[in-house]
Amino acid sequence: MSTTVPTRDRTESRRLPLDVEALRRDFPILARKVNGHPLVYLDNAATTQKPESVIEAVADMYRRSYGNIHRGVHKLSVEATDAYEQAREKVRGFVNATETREIVFVRGTTEGINLVAQTFGRQRIGEGDEVVITALEHHSNIVPWQLVCDEKKAHLKVLPIDRTGEVRVDELERLLTARTRLVATAHVSNALGTLVPVRRIVEIAHAHGVPVLIDGAQAVPRIAVDVRAIGCDFYTFSSHKMYGPTGVGVLYGREELFEAMPPYQGGGDMISSVTFEKTTWNVLPYKFEAGTPDIAGAIGIGAAVDYLARIGIDNVTAHEESLLDYATRSLTALPGLTVIGTAREKIGVLSFTLDGIHPHDIGTVLDSEGIAIRTGHHCAQPVMEFFGIPATARASLALYNTREEIDALTEGLRKVLRMFR
Ligand code: C6P
């Protein structure tokens, strides 16, 4: 089992070109063929592929040291508990949280946001209060707030975006009132790739005494995230988008807020004592981890953190920036192609339309060439509505993608143009 990752030195910036060909060999699935072609996997915003070290860490736990955690005195339970808690410590270091008490394992970003909405939200939001989100949110950062606002007769307010897909942060001051209870924003948009200036948003919100939740699903695999430097109150992300297994994710919350929040779900492990008259809660973070968690998944996210730490997240950022630039230049040379989302600061995601051709047809033709992209509204229907389109085709990047794969995408799109024009 790999060792604990020390908290990163945030002044360090090791920007080295990635040896992508060597890294690709870490991902067994990248060697397969799809429809007779080498796989070109460009659907990384939906989910990333897994390196052997993550697959092995999960398999190894089931093979050699699997038991339920926090419950047994026997050897396997103790080993599993140690490994699970070691993974929590790795995640803590990865996002630079102060304490492991501030790191709760959840099922993913969606559950992280729902947890905050159903605990902090239901406790703090009352009739006539307000929650502010942005216009580029994934449904996971819209619907949980609608549920609470409907229940509490509170108002959901939306910070607009401009035609490039940048959040109008200059409008935030105007939206905040004495009734605002929370600001919730994505760090990186899954539909547009916009990198949202979250530090600035936190600064403005905090000046009004308003806490901030950040949906980091698309940021964590791509850029260094330091929750203390950002200053946010909650930060949540999914393992499966950062080269870890599905079924597990992380909710970071400032200890003081977590302490004051009621539990999310009731069950085993989240209690300190239970009688029929009264139950008291376990300490953090266990208060929010009812029932047997995804133990192997947590080990897997720990292995994913190790993997990213070995490569250096700054190197991943540099690689994806350069690849996005190359992809944007290549694709915009195609006739009738419009990039949706042209923010000055963008990472990892290239959404586009081709005049007169439905994105699903684009996706189907590309699939026949072994190229995987996502088509549709990307669970961000309000973004599509804003741009007046039903859907986009979306290529999204990971550390293992290459310029040759972008060339294959460009060639595939030429084929689409020949077929439909
Ligand atoms: N976006 C995409 O193809 P879960 O499903 O809980 O792991 O993540 C939800 C989620 C929340 N916020 C953002 C910004 C996201 O991108 C996602 C997942 C995938 O874009 C699947 S819809």
Side-chain angles (χ1 to χ4, degrees):
M1 197 135 295
S2 31
T3 51
T4 303
V5 181
T7 297
R8 277 176 293 140
D9 175 358
R10 261 133 243 283
T11 56
E12 176 193 37
S13 182
R14 306 185 288 125
R15 293 211 160 191
L16 305 169
L18 292 188
D19 183 353
V20 178
E21 281 314 317
L23 292 175
R24 287 178 68 82
R25 290 194 285 278
D26 294 338
F27 293 80
I29 206 169
L30 297 181
R32 71 164 282 184
K33 290 199 165 182
V34 169
N35 296 323
H37 299 272
L39 168 66
V40 173
Y41 188 77
L42 293 168
D43 194 16
N44 296 288
T47 197
T48 55
Q49 300 300 340
K50 319 304 170 198
E52 192 63 50
S53 61
V54 167
I55 298 168
E56 189 49 36
V58 172
D60 190 59
M61 139 135 288
Y62 283 127
R63 260 190 226 113
R64 297 196 312 122
S65 48
Y66 181 70
N68 209 335
I69 56 164
H70 304 146
R71 285 159 170 86
V73 291
H74 62 80
K75 183 79 175 157
L76 292 185
S77 173
V78 171
E79 282 181 11
T81 303
D82 285 352
Y84 183 81
E85 292 305 332
Q86 222 182 73
R88 197 193 305 276
E89 167 57 20
K90 288 176 188 180
V91 170
R92 182 206 64 72
F94 185 58
V95 296
N96 202 29
T98 312
E99 301 287 346
T100 48
R101 290 194 287 280
E102 299 175 317
I103 301 295
V104 170
F105 284 124
V106 288
R107 279 195 299 133
T109 309
T110 303
E111 189 175 55
I113 298 169
N114 277 279
L115 189 159
V116 178
Q118 290 300 313
T119 57
F120 177 91
R122 289 179 83 202
Q123 186 183 50
R124 307 257 185 132
I125 299 166
E127 189 168 343
D129 285 342
E130 296 158 0
V131 173
V132 175
I133 59 172
T134 84
L136 55 63
E137 299 309 315
H138 184 280
H139 298 163
S140 289
N141 206 20
I142 303 173
V143 185
W145 305 115
Q146 284 175 330
L147 290 171
V148 184
C149 287
D150 282 354
E151 181 189 323
K152 299 288 185 170
K153 300 191 174 60
H155 308 292
L156 190 63
K157 292 165 94 175
V158 182
L159 183 60
I161 53 175
D162 66 19
R163 297 304 299 174
T164 69
E166 286 186 17
V167 173
R168 294 282 311 275
V169 180
D170 57 309
E171 291 276 311
L172 180 58
E173 199 85 48
R174 192 183 55 79
L175 280 186
L176 296 173
T177 73
R179 304 303 303 264
T180 313
R181 296 289 168 257
L182 185 83
V183 171
T185 178
H187 198 167
V188 171
S189 156
N190 69 315
L192 304 169
T194 309
L195 179 58
V196 178
V198 287
R199 271 197 213 203
R200 182 77 193 114
I201 288 178
V202 169
E203 234 171 64
I204 297 170
H206 281 188
H208 291 257
V210 178
V212 178
L213 173 141
I214 299 173
D215 166 354
Q218 299 296 346
V220 163
R222 302 195 161 84
I223 55 174
V225 169
D226 180 331
V227 291
R228 277 190 277 170
I230 294 169
C232 57
D233 301 276
F234 301 104
Y235 194 101
T236 185
F237 53 98
S238 303
S239 156
H240 71 95
K241 293 188 199 288
M242 53 171 284
Y243 311 100
T246 47
V248 65
V250 172
L251 172 66
Y252 157 82
R254 278 202 302 110
E255 185 174 356
E256 179 197 337
L257 293 175
F258 267 174
E259 281 294 357
M261 283 155 54
Y264 175 44
Q265 294 177 327
D269 221 23
M270 54 73 73
I271 56 90
S272 165
S273 72
V274 178
T275 67
F276 288 121
E277 289 72 39
K278 184 174 168 56
T279 294
T280 55
W281 317 135
N282 202 346
V283 294
L284 293 175
Y286 313 111
K287 178 171 92 174
F288 295 113
E289 292 183 1
T292 301
D294 184 349
I295 304 165
I299 310 303
I301 196 174
V305 165
D306 285 340
Y307 186 74
L308 281 169
R310 269 200 304 278
I311 293 168
I313 192 80
D314 290 340
N315 299 325
V316 176
T317 309
H319 175 67
E320 287 201 21
E321 273 172 358
S322 140
L323 208 53
L324 183 63
D325 188 50
Y326 182 72
T328 306
R329 278 186 283 118
S330 304
L331 264 57
T332 45
L334 297 172
L337 188 141
T338 306
V339 173
I340 306 295
T342 50
R344 283 163 296 180
E345 295 227 55
K346 256 186 90 170
I347 184 107
V349 172
L350 186 54
S351 261
F352 58 92
T353 56
L354 271 179
D355 278 354
I357 305 174
H358 197 282
H360 289 294
D361 292 331
I362 300 173
T364 307
V365 174
L366 291 178
D367 180 56
S368 71
E369 299 288 309
I371 303 167
I373 62 159
R374 185 172 171 188
T375 60
H377 53 61
H378 315 296
C379 301
Q381 283 183 349
V383 173
M384 300 298 126
E385 198 185 324
F386 176 79
F387 285 99
I389 47 178
T392 73
R394 182 189 70 181
S396 53
L397 308 175
L399 61 87
Y400 40 68
N401 289 127
T402 63
R403 288 189 174 211
E404 290 70 32
E405 289 182 309
I406 300 301
D407 293 342
L409 171 66
T410 312
E411 211 33 63
L413 289 171
R414 285 210 180 91
K415 181 174 175 190
V416 173
L417 288 172
R418 284 197 298 274
M419 284 174 74
F420 288 92
R421 289 265 169 82

